[in-house]
Amino acid sequence: MTTKIQILLLSILLLPTISLAMVNIISPGSTLNASNTNQAWSSPNGTFSLGFIPINPPTSPPTFLAAIVYSGGIPIWSAGTIPVDSAAYLQLHPTEGNLRLVSGSGHTVWDSATANLGVSSASLDDYGNLVLTRNGTIQVWASFEHPTDTVVPGQKFSTRHVLRNGLYSFRLLSNGTVNLKWNDSTAYWSRGTFNSSNNRTSPTLGLQPTGILSVSDPTLTRGAIMAYSNDYNQSGEIFRFLRLDSDGNLRIYGSDKGSGIQTVRWVAVEDQCRVFGFCGNMGICSYSGKNPICRCPSQNFELLDPKDSRKGCKRKVATEDCAGNLTMLTMEHTLFLTFPPQSLFAVEGSEIFMVGISSCRMSCLVNPTCDASTILSDGGGMCYYKMPGFISGYTNPALPSTSYVKVCSPAVPNASPSMRSDGWRMHAWALAMVVIGTILGLIALEGSLWWWCCRSSRKIGGLSLSAKYALIEYASGAPVEFSYRELRRLTKEFKEKLGSGGFGAVYRGVLADRTVVAVKRVEGIEEGERQFRMVVSTLSCTHHLNLVRLIGFCCERSHRLLVYEFMQNKSLDNFLFQTDDKPGKLLNWETRFNIALGTARGITYLHDECPESIIHCDIKPENILLDKNYSAKVSDFGLAKVATLKDHIDYLAPEWVQENAAITSKADVYSYGMVLLETVSGRRNMEVSAETNWKVLWAWAYEEFEKGNVVGIVDRRLGGQEVDVEQVMRAIKVSFWCIQEQPSERPRMGKVVHMLEGITEIHRPPPPKALNTLLPTATILN
Ligand SMILES: *[C@@H]1O[C@H](CO)[C@@H](O)[C@H](O)[C@H]1NC(C)=O
Ligand SMILES: *[C@@H]1O[C@H](CO)[C@@H](O)[C@H](O)[C@H]1NC(C)=O
Ligand SMILES: *[C@@H]1O[C@H](CO)[C@@H](O)[C@H](O)[C@H]1NC(C)=O
Ligand SMILES: *[C@@H]1O[C@H](CO)[C@@H](O)[C@H](O)[C@H]1NC(C)=O
Ligand SMILES: *[C@@H]1O[C@H](CO)[C@@H](O)[C@H](O)[C@H]1NC(C)=O
Ligand SMILES: *[C@@H]1O[C@H](CO)[C@@H](O)[C@H](O)[C@H]1NC(C)=O
Ligand SMILES: *[C@@H]1O[C@H](CO)[C@@H](O)[C@H](O)[C@H]1NC(C)=O
Ligand SMILES: *[C@@H]1O[C@H](CO)[C@@H](O)[C@H](O)[C@H]1NC(C)=O
Ligand SMILES: *[C@@H]1O[C@H](CO)[C@@H](O)[C@H](O)[C@H]1NC(C)=O
């Protein structure tokens, strides 16, 4: 391993000199042998090379792929996907000009299909593109035009192209939407940045070297951004690439040059279990730690391939071979993924609305063409039938749905989770025995047994909890269900109150692994357990750098609690509005701007990128938390649905006080605009003083803006510090656009982000006219 790296380093060091002498033209007849993996065709500066790489994990006998590899060993393209033996070779045909991969048995496994097109040479460039050319210059074939599973910077991915991995595919549609499909039929993820009335002319998708995935077309100068990698614009020589992985997920990776180590920087489907078909037919996905695992629905099933649980499951007794009665196996908190076209088949092929879940079960049982059914407990009570075919399942304590599968009676459920945790206990016991046994030897066996008993029972309790906590590590998407007793214990009987938000008081708690959490007792919820689980499931899909993460929840009797990650630096208001009796750290301009941008990104995610759009309804500095690096994390979202809204909202958009006005995401834009102005100026929105000419903040600010005195709006306590005037200008203009009286005049949150970033031009904002309608409210709020 280390020698390999050394050789690599050496070759990187030597390359600049070598490449001067070497023009890397691959001439007809050139051959690479799989038996010699050191042989490669390299790009002029050595960043990329084409050669044989052993299949990972290794096979016996060894098999290979002919691949273009980034320095350090990251494959970005391969000649076909079928592994070949060590007698195989890759050759640019000496006379016909096609590049072909021939296996040891002489069979052509892959061919560039360029025979007799006059190809006279090939070359690999420093972006990783392998090109076959005629007459020295005319491109006949290029690997960028025939991608396999990866897109790299410099590569233009168009509507003609497709990334594939197994049954999964990734495409760009002509309207600028990208999607992921299973078996070319079921689209389980898509993202579009253009609106449907726009037919783009030949859009292309590209990954910029800084880590932005964007779609552009000739009519757009800057392109529409699809995704940011979370190391966006980080300095250093980082190679970023987009890959469709074998688990059906699309990811942006970053790799430090030459390291060969790839780190996930963005992922399309945050919750891996929501990738269609991840566990194969009839397989049920769940999480063990942060890893998704596949199991069968019950003991009526067995794995198709005991060595690979992702291949799916089959019934031990087929329904048609069942001697006794058929019955429906019931699976709580389990969902069968339903995407068009294979979703929702009712008896007549249309949606059906059921009164209760029992009829979802029964009507499938009596319907010979129904194999399984799933009911979403979202109030709509929609029951989805699954015809015999491919069924993909997901189970998670937070999922508010119940599923049924037809099996030959009797239904034998899987071992329950409590039995599994017994397994845990046994395991921990065995470990404790071995360790302590070795230390203590044979001394006082009885006494020490007693000692372990007391000690390890405590330890084991802790272990299962931290094992639970591990569940939510990163992209697992599954919050943990806590018992009320557990929460009482870890908050020390709700001793330390951190504050009280709009929906209830928040307490400090410490998990077994010493992670500090914030536990919120949700109040004012009249609805039942099912609705609360719905909320949790919505919240659990919201993973974003700028949103506070939900770690777990409790839903026991009348108790409704949410467990969030703890934010060291509390909320933004503590920093913005300091008083003489509450002095604190002053945030500099750069930090303020980043907080504003982060908040806008978080809200954009809630509005546009969540599986289900979420309107926050209560954006205010108190709900913008700051982590230890002063990054913004929006909190208290997603609860508006269950709690009674009245009296909660502080930054009311005018439409809230109008009768019959629809509340849309533009209400959030309004509150955001107010918060943005407060962030810039360090003054309360409704605070009126001589300094603001006895006007409310925005009215005064607009006056100053018209006078051309934007710097005068900035928090005067920043006097003397460096302030990026252009950013100030952008922030102030954006805030005026956000607080326009008419919701339709306000930009969408995604546009706000682009405006702040300076990607979108900002026109001069007209005066926000809401002064008259707002003043009475202002007095109430004060
Ligand atoms: C590849 O293998 C063939 C036969 O095994 C051999 O004749 C040829 O020289 C090898 N080519 C290279 C470039 O090593
Ligand atoms: C090789 O060339 C590419 C493309 O011009 C460039 O991005 C990269 O930095 C170069 N690498 C080295 C080691 O010169
Ligand atoms: C390229 O082809 C044209 C005719 O097709 C020929 O006239 C020209 O000389 C060729 N150029 C080279 C560099 O071979
Ligand atoms: C994929 O689709 C094809 C038809 O389009 C179908 O024949 C095949 O069975 C499907 N594969 C799976 C695994 O269901
Ligand atoms: C959709 O496109 C039309 C035409 O370009 C444009 O007027 C409209 O504002 C767009 N709608 C959205 C929501 O972007
Ligand atoms: C783009 O086209 C696809 C397929 O025609 C359609 O399903 C999708 O809704 C369209 N997206 C937008 C944003 O119009
Ligand atoms: C968009 O363009 C495609 C191909 O050019 C065409 O088939 C399709 O009908 C167009 N859609 C609309 C909405 O104009
Ligand atoms: C990217 O980083 C550079 C310096 O590291 C900075 O000058 C530039 O403004 C950043 N660009 C964006 C869009 O954040
Ligand atoms: C099958 O169902 C019938 C009617 O419900 C019942 O009488 C019979 O005992 C059942 N048979 C078995 C083997 O469970």
Side-chain angles (χ1 to χ4, degrees):
M1 192 68 193
T2 42
T3 52
K4 223 177 199 171
I5 289 169
Q6 275 164 5
I7 288 170
L8 252 161
L9 282 176
L10 203 64
S11 58
I12 290 163
L13 290 175
L14 289 177
L15 266 161
T17 41
I18 295 173
S19 62
L20 287 179
M22 239 171 29
V23 184
N24 297 359
I25 294 289
I26 302 154
S27 47
S30 300
T31 307
L32 290 173
N33 286 347
S35 54
N36 183 359
T37 50
N38 291 330
Q39 231 178 18
W41 295 331
S42 163
S43 74
N45 74 13
T47 307
F48 292 92
S49 61
L50 170 59
F52 282 93
I53 54 167
I55 290 291
N56 192 16
T59 52
S60 166
T63 51
F64 304 85
L65 279 179
I68 297 174
V69 175
Y70 174 72
S71 141
I74 295 168
I76 63 152
W77 179 86
S78 64
T81 51
I82 303 163
V84 291
D85 55 274
S86 59
Y89 63 91
L90 181 73
Q91 187 186 48
L92 184 59
H93 197 283
T95 51
E96 298 184 348
N98 51 331
L99 185 67
R100 59 196 184 119
L101 176 63
V102 182
S103 73
S105 59
H107 175 68
T108 301
V109 177
W110 176 86
D111 189 305
S112 64
T114 53
N116 304 318
L117 295 178
V119 170
S120 53
S121 67
S123 63
L124 178 62
D125 71 20
D126 284 329
Y127 296 95
N129 192 12
L130 176 70
V131 184
L132 304 186
T133 45
R134 175 173 60 215
N135 208 347
T137 51
I138 303 156
Q139 177 178 313
V140 177
W141 181 96
S143 62
F144 276 8
E145 290 296 316
H146 299 84
T148 49
D149 57 5
T150 307
V151 173
V152 298
Q155 181 169 357
K156 278 192 172 157
F157 186 84
S158 78
T159 51
R160 295 189 305 277
H161 302 139
V162 54
L163 299 185
R164 283 189 188 281
N165 203 326
L167 281 174
Y168 296 107
S169 58
F170 170 75
R171 278 192 183 78
L172 171 66
L173 308 181
S174 61
N175 62 8
T177 308
V178 289
N179 69 19
L180 288 171
K181 279 187 176 178
W182 173 85
N183 201 18
D184 285 327
S185 55
T186 305
Y188 53 92
W189 179 84
S190 74
R191 182 169 287 188
T193 52
F194 300 124
N195 74 40
S196 50
S197 55
N198 280 359
N199 214 351
R200 316 306 307 195
T201 44
S202 52
T204 56
L205 177 90
L207 179 65
Q208 294 166 25
T210 50
I212 292 181
L213 186 66
S214 60
V215 170
S216 50
D217 80 354
T219 65
L220 284 171
T221 42
R222 310 280 298 249
I225 294 175
M226 288 273 168
Y228 285 92
S229 71
N230 64 13
D231 65 346
Y232 163 64
N233 204 19
Q234 200 166 294
S235 57
E237 213 174 324
I238 302 170
F239 172 63
R240 296 183 177 84
F241 56 99
L242 176 77
R243 188 170 67 207
L244 175 60
D245 287 312
S246 61
D247 61 8
N249 223 329
L250 183 74
R251 296 182 176 87
I252 295 176
Y253 289 88
S255 174
D256 286 331
K257 189 182 163 82
S259 69
I261 297 163
Q262 50 194 37
T263 310
V264 178
R265 294 305 186 180
W266 173 82
V267 56
V269 187
E270 297 272 8
D271 189 347
Q272 180 61 41
C273 282
R274 289 189 185 264
V275 170
F276 192 85
F278 176 69
C279 284
N281 188 20
M282 292 306 323
I284 310 287
C285 185
S286 61
Y287 290 96
S288 159
K290 59 180 174 182
N291 300 316
I293 53 165
C294 297
R295 304 176 77 204
C296 291
S298 72
Q299 295 184 39
N300 303 72
F301 290 81
E302 62 193 359
L303 288 174
L304 270 179
D305 177 355
K307 288 201 225 69
D308 185 357
S309 61
R310 281 198 51 204
K311 293 257 163 67
C313 303
K314 66 166 196 286
R315 289 181 179 81
K316 287 176 183 163
V317 180
T319 47
E320 53 273 25
D321 301 337
C322 182
N325 290 342
L326 289 174
T327 184
M328 297 305 277
L329 167 78
T330 303
M331 290 181 285
E332 300 283 357
H333 305 304
T334 302
L335 173 74
F336 290 133
L337 302 183
T338 45
F339 297 103
Q342 63 103 272
S343 63
L344 132 61
F345 289 100
V347 193
E348 285 86 27
S350 62
E351 299 176 19
I352 46 167
F353 292 89
M354 294 286 178
V355 257
I357 59 175
S358 62
S359 46
C360 189
R361 173 179 182 272
M362 277 311 289
S363 56
C364 182
L365 181 61
V366 298
N367 183 345
T369 60
C370 182
D371 206 21
S373 61
T374 199
I375 184 161
L376 306 184
S377 313
D378 56 359
M382 205 183 293
C383 174
Y384 291 81
Y385 278 14
K386 292 287 184 177
M387 302 300 169
F390 197 92
I391 296 177
S392 180
Y394 176 14
T395 188
N396 173 337
L399 283 177
S401 56
T402 305
S403 294
Y404 305 97
V405 187
K406 211 175 261 180
V407 293
C408 189
S409 191
V412 190
N414 282 332
S416 72
S418 67
M419 285 174 76
R420 265 187 295 149
S421 80
D422 282 346
W424 244 114
R425 266 162 218 264
M426 298 288 285
H427 193 70
W429 258 109
L431 244 162
M433 294 286 275
V434 170
V435 172
I436 302 175
T438 338
I439 299 167
L440 296 181
L442 295 168
I443 316 161
L445 190 66
E446 269 175 59
S448 57
L449 253 174
W450 171 85
W451 186 75
W452 296 331
C453 175
C454 299
R455 193 159 177 272
S456 49
S457 66
R458 225 173 57 219
K459 211 173 184 181
I460 287 162
L463 258 180
S464 72
L465 199 61
S466 58
K468 268 183 165 183
Y469 180 64
L471 263 173
I472 51 83
E473 282 278 287
Y474 292 98
S476 81
V480 179
E481 182 161 5
F482 290 93
S483 72
Y484 188 65
R485 246 187 66 213
E486 263 174 314
L487 288 187
R488 247 179 34 204
R489 189 163 56 85
L490 55 88
T491 55
K492 301 216 175 84
E493 309 280 334
F494 301 101
K495 202 173 96 202
E496 195 177 331
K497 191 164 167 178
L498 294 171
S500 46
F503 304 104
V506 182
Y507 301 88
R508 186 172 188 275
V510 183
L511 298 187
D513 66 352
R514 306 233 163 91
T515 312
V516 181
V517 292
V519 179
K520 174 182 287 250
R521 286 189 93 121
V522 185
E523 279 150 22
I525 293 191
E526 277 132 42
E527 279 135 305
E529 173 175 348
R530 190 169 287 165
Q531 279 81 357
F532 185 71
R533 281 185 191 273
M534 269 295 295
V535 169
V536 170
S537 106
T538 313
L539 295 185
S540 65
C541 298
T542 51
H543 293 268
H544 191 274
L545 242 53
N546 298 110
L547 298 179
V548 171
R549 199 171 57 176
L550 183 69
I551 287 173
F553 67 101
C554 165
C555 183
E556 206 178 290
R557 296 187 302 275
S558 63
H559 302 298
R560 303 282 180 270
L561 297 102
L562 295 171
V563 181
Y564 290 103
E565 57 181 333
F566 175 76
M567 287 298 134
Q568 220 156 343
N569 279 313
K570 305 213 182 113
S571 51
L572 180 59
D573 56 314
N574 291 308
F575 296 95
L576 289 187
F577 318 121
Q578 295 167 7
T579 50
D580 294 335
D581 54 321
K582 253 178 68 188
K585 186 181 147 102
L586 190 63
L587 298 177
N588 66 18
W589 172 254
E590 196 189 345
T591 312
R592 284 180 201 228
F593 188 77
N594 286 335
I595 289 170
L597 193 56
T599 305
R601 287 194 182 131
I603 302 170
T604 305
Y605 181 86
L606 289 177
H607 288 177
D608 298 338
E609 289 159 33
C610 277
E612 216 179 305
S613 176
I614 295 176
I615 304 177
H616 188 296
C617 290
D618 197 14
I619 290 161
K620 55 183 175 186
E622 289 77 0
N623 282 339
I624 297 167
L625 306 186
L626 302 177
D627 71 5
K628 61 175 191 294
N629 302 319
Y630 294 94
S631 275
K633 305 260 185 179
V634 178
S635 78
D636 246 10
F637 50 86
L639 295 175
K641 254 195 245 165
V642 283
T644 28
L645 274 171
K646 290 185 199 80
D647 314 328
H648 282 319
I649 303 144
D650 287 335
Y651 291 53
L652 283 171
E655 59 265 32
W656 281 106
V657 290
Q658 281 160 22
E659 278 194 35
N660 300 329
I663 299 303
T664 65
S665 57
K666 293 292 181 71
D668 281 351
V669 176
Y670 183 92
S671 325
Y672 174 79
M674 287 295 186
V675 173
L676 179 57
L677 206 51
E678 293 185 333
T679 309
V680 172
S681 67
R683 294 171 203 274
R684 282 266 184 205
N685 170 16
M686 295 300 167
E687 197 181 85
V688 172
S689 72
E691 276 178 36
T692 62
N693 210 6
W694 305 107
K695 290 198 162 89
V696 290
L697 175 63
W698 68 263
W700 166 75
Y702 196 80
E703 253 177 32
E704 297 301 308
F705 169 72
E706 285 206 300
K707 282 189 226 153
N709 180 25
V710 282
V711 178
I713 303 171
V714 176
D715 196 336
R716 62 187 144 69
R717 289 168 298 178
L718 293 184
Q721 285 191 22
E722 205 174 300
V723 167
D724 183 332
V725 179
E726 205 176 304
Q727 279 180 353
V728 171
M729 188 58 140
R730 264 187 261 150
I732 285 174
K733 279 190 190 167
V734 167
S735 70
F736 291 143
W737 274 115
C738 290
I739 60 176
Q740 292 295 313
E741 184 176 18
Q742 288 304 322
S744 60
E745 295 288 304
R746 300 173 206 151
R748 295 183 58 80
M749 220 51 217
K751 188 165 179 195
V752 167
V753 172
H754 290 177
M755 285 161 129
L756 287 175
E757 281 169 339
I759 293 174
T760 301
E761 194 189 332
I762 315 172
H763 299 298
R764 193 180 169 80
K769 280 185 296 237
L771 184 59
N772 294 332
T773 55
L774 259 175
L775 271 180
T777 325
T779 46
I780 294 163
L781 283 174
N782 262 341

